[in-house]
Amino acid sequence: MLDQTIKEQLTAITGEERFSDTHEQRVVYSYDATPGFQSEPDGVIRPASVQEVQQIINVCREHRIPVIPRGSGTNLCAGTVPSQGGIVMVFTHMNQILEVDKENLTMTVQPGVITLDITKRAEAEGLFYPPDPSSMKISTIAGNINENSGGLRGLKYGVTKDYVLGLEAVLANGEVIRTGGKLAKDTAGYDFTKLLTGAEGTLGIVTEAILKLVPKPETKQTALALFHNMEQAAESVSAIIADKIIPATLEFVDQPTLQAVEDFAQIGLPVEAGAVLLMEQDGEPEVVQRHMEAMQQICKEHGAISVRLAQNEEEAAALTEARRSALTALARRRPTTLLEDATVPRSKLAEMVRFIEETAAAYEVEICTFGHAGDGNLHPTCMTDVRDHAEMERVEEAFAAIFAKAVDLGGTITGEHGVGEMKSPYLEWKLGHAGVEAMKAVKQALDPDNILNPGKIFAKDTKKRIVLGGGSRG
Ligand SMILES: Cc1cc2nc3c(=O)[nH]c(=O)nc-3n(C[C@H](O)[C@H](O)[C@H](O)COP(=O)(O)OP(=O)(O)OC[C@H]3O[C@@H](n4cnc5c(N)ncnc54)[C@H](O)[C@@H]3O)c2cc1C
């Protein structure tokens, strides 16, 4: 609990109306979208300017109070759970699009702007902001930046980090820094824009961002390919890329996910298929046409039952929206839904999919898989119940096996959801001891009192890794 002096210092900055430590507010901000993690903060504060952020940080540093920056709390890695108490900093009063610069093709935004508002504003100006996490209707840009979020268009257009040109941030010492700018080139010192992107609120508080925009593609086509099984779909993905086609979207969904999505969206999806690939290409009409025909042909050669081209924009939008709703649809099935995002080189996709299926069977847990096939970014999703401790233990072991396999295949424990608290025990599997220590040194240099989102990324203990043939490492 905060003592009266600290409360007075904080309310002197924001006024009584933008600070709260009521029981209700502390419960509301005690969890995020990650199941199984909850811890109450000591208070919730809503700054309205960079100066206010600075002043709040100075108070928190003086009293060694943790600050947990929070957008919409949709992260899936327990990244905003105040596990060590402290103040949750919410950006609902810093949610303005400040400028669209058509000469430099940039948009300058405050941290609390909702991602979809950025997409819509860019389109209204005849431009395009490609990063499109499925949560874009509610997620904020600072949340996207701090998780380096991806989306359905990641394969061709990249992820959030590819569109962050510059940042304004308040550091743990209360100083404001500006990184990058409206620049295509900048080699002045270390690339702090990239360092802060994906830092999960542990290195600085983002108070403004300059985003890169690109010209809006002339046209777009969408198709759905139906397969007997996931392997045929995964092999088609590798073959499409090997044919030097980079589609705007190449997503896959397994049969149980397809059934759940159809139950939810009711748009006549082909639930009889063992797996489907959602394929989209955009660009100049001749290129789009040629690539869509080639992709259809490749899918058929790899055993597709059929390939259906969306007949109009509404049908295309319905198919894309259905894929975006996969997590929501699966979440209706059982009390707890755990979504992971193990990622492998895309040439290893089929092997990884097979491994996930075998692991689910071996541990007797229900895992559905969908994801950004073109990026090798899979979302094995387990429907379970946190109250069933025996099952939860099996779920944890199954996911540990999946992370280990992903790393063995040259992949990673998280492709786009971040480490947060949830994945922190596994970080060393990916980075090795020296890699984790190097990152800790950066954190120590920028935040020696560990006040910015403590307990995230770095775990107290690395999970022991069981390797085949006995023994352990890690
Ligand atoms: C249904 C659903 C679908 C999803 N789909 C996708 C997807 O397709 N792709 C994907 O990548 N993710 C996806 N996610 C995960 C999540 O939506 C993203 O990680 C998103 O970027 C989080 O945004 P947010 O505003 O909710 O941030 P939060 O969850 O509030 O915060 C995320 C991180 O950002 C930090 N942070 C927030 N604001 C600031 C700031 N101003 N300064 C410094 N740090 C800050 C927080 O401390 C935290 O570490 C999905 C989640 C859900 C629930």
Side-chain angles (χ1 to χ4, degrees):
M1 293 293 278
L2 299 172
D3 70 30
Q4 196 54 32
T5 322
I6 298 173
K7 279 200 243 180
E8 280 167 13
Q9 283 182 307
L10 292 172
T11 49
I13 300 167
T14 58
E16 303 263 339
E17 61 290 357
R18 288 189 279 116
F19 172 80
S20 174
D21 63 349
T22 62
H23 177 61
E24 290 77 6
Q25 283 283 294
R26 286 189 285 114
V27 170
V28 165
Y29 290 97
S30 64
Y31 60 93
D32 53 30
T34 323
F37 291 82
Q38 188 168 17
S39 177
E40 283 184 27
D42 298 306
V44 181
I45 201 155
R46 296 175 170 79
S49 66
V50 61
Q51 291 78 14
E52 287 189 3
V53 172
Q54 223 177 347
Q55 290 165 24
I56 296 164
I57 291 292
N58 284 336
V59 171
C60 289
R61 192 181 68 254
E62 183 191 336
H63 301 285
R64 304 284 190 273
I65 299 169
V67 180
I68 302 95
R70 176 175 166 127
S72 298
T74 66
N75 74 84
L76 297 165
C77 59
T80 48
V81 175
S83 45
Q84 300 180 18
I87 310 283
V88 172
M89 190 182 274
V90 184
F91 295 92
T92 38
H93 288 75
M94 293 177 75
N95 63 351
Q96 300 300 307
I97 293 177
L98 300 174
E99 182 199 55
V100 176
D101 181 338
K102 286 183 141 185
E103 283 181 20
N104 288 304
L105 294 184
T106 61
M107 191 188 292
T108 305
V109 296
Q110 290 189 313
V113 178
I114 299 296
T115 317
L116 186 62
D117 293 342
I118 293 172
T119 313
K120 283 184 176 164
R121 178 65 187 274
E123 280 180 10
E125 305 278 356
L127 294 166
F128 187 37
Y129 176 71
D132 61 338
S134 297
S135 52
M136 65 199 288
K137 283 184 194 159
I138 40 170
S139 68
T140 64
I141 189 64
N144 293 174
I145 291 170
N146 274 278
E147 298 293 6
N148 187 17
S149 298
L152 270 58
R153 298 192 275 248
L155 172 61
K156 181 168 176 178
Y157 289 101
V159 296
T160 303
K161 75 172 174 350
D162 301 305
Y163 295 87
V164 184
L165 292 176
L167 293 171
E168 178 189 77
V170 178
L171 301 179
N173 63 6
E175 297 284 353
V176 178
I177 58 164
R178 292 198 78 96
T179 72
K182 294 179 179 179
L183 300 166
K185 287 178 164 183
D186 178 14
T187 55
Y190 296 136
D191 190 343
F192 259 56
T193 311
K194 285 276 189 291
L195 182 62
L196 289 171
T197 304
E200 304 190 19
T202 62
L203 298 181
I205 308 284
V206 171
T207 47
E208 201 177 292
I210 301 173
L211 306 173
K212 174 171 128 178
L213 304 176
V214 295
K216 199 172 159 195
E218 264 179 66
T219 183
K220 181 170 86 174
Q221 272 192 33
T222 309
L224 204 62
L226 278 52
F227 296 89
H228 294 288
N229 55 53
M230 283 290 274
E231 285 200 358
Q232 291 174 335
E235 281 158 10
S236 301
V237 169
S238 298
I240 288 169
I241 312 279
D243 202 37
K244 302 183 189 68
I245 298 172
I246 306 295
T249 292
L250 199 47
E251 295 285 310
F252 75 166
V253 171
D254 70 0
Q255 199 284 329
T257 310
L258 194 64
Q259 182 70 59
V261 170
E262 175 56 18
D263 292 346
F264 177 70
Q266 303 197 346
I267 56 165
L269 290 170
V271 291
E272 66 286 357
V276 297
L277 264 189
L278 174 71
M279 307 182 294
E280 204 161 85
Q281 184 57 300
D282 61 10
E284 292 171 19
E286 328 64 86
V287 177
V288 172
Q289 183 71 25
R290 182 154 41 84
H291 283 178
M292 290 309 282
E293 282 169 10
M295 287 196 283
Q296 288 181 51
Q297 185 58 31
I298 290 169
C299 289
K300 284 184 183 152
E301 282 165 13
H302 286 81
I305 306 164
S306 68
V307 187
R308 189 173 103 197
L309 211 60
Q311 294 307 307
N312 49 46
E313 267 186 37
E314 289 72 41
E315 195 186 342
L319 290 175
T320 314
E321 201 45 45
R323 158 61 189 90
R324 285 193 206 285
S325 69
L327 174 57
T328 316
L330 287 170
R332 303 190 327 155
R333 304 243 322 242
R334 288 195 68 196
T336 308
T337 313
L338 286 165
L339 178 138
E340 279 305 342
D341 80 324
T343 302
V344 292
R346 56 176 93 88
S347 58
K348 305 285 184 193
L349 203 60
E351 188 175 346
M352 192 65 204
V353 168
R354 208 178 311 129
F355 182 82
I356 292 170
E357 285 175 353
E358 287 164 7
T359 305
Y363 287 90
E364 295 174 21
V365 292
E366 190 188 2
I367 299 182
C368 297
T369 302
F370 60 94
H372 316 296
D375 306 337
N377 184 189
L378 298 164
H379 289 318
T381 303
C382 186
M383 277 67 64
T384 181
D385 186 343
V386 278
R387 294 165 300 187
D388 184 339
H389 297 292
E391 184 171 321
M392 286 307 290
E393 268 178 38
R394 296 203 308 280
V395 170
E396 194 180 328
E397 289 306 314
F399 275 131
I402 289 169
F403 300 150
K405 181 71 175 178
V407 171
D408 285 347
L409 290 176
T412 182
I413 57 169
T414 168
E416 60 179 14
H417 291 166
V419 179
E421 190 169 335
M422 189 167 114
K423 292 273 183 69
S424 61
Y426 303 96
L427 186 66
E428 202 170 306
W429 294 10
K430 164 69 179 142
L431 299 178
H433 184 66
V436 174
E437 289 304 308
M439 286 195 187
K440 278 186 183 167
V442 174
K443 169 74 173 166
Q444 171 69 21
L446 288 177
D447 182 15
D449 300 318
N450 196 22
I451 59 164
L452 293 181
N453 212 1
K456 310 296 158 26
I457 302 185
F458 307 111
K460 279 201 200 80
D461 298 306
T462 289
K463 191 161 165 76
K464 282 262 181 267
R465 198 188 135 155
I466 308 298
V467 286
L468 288 177
S472 64
R473 72 175 183 197

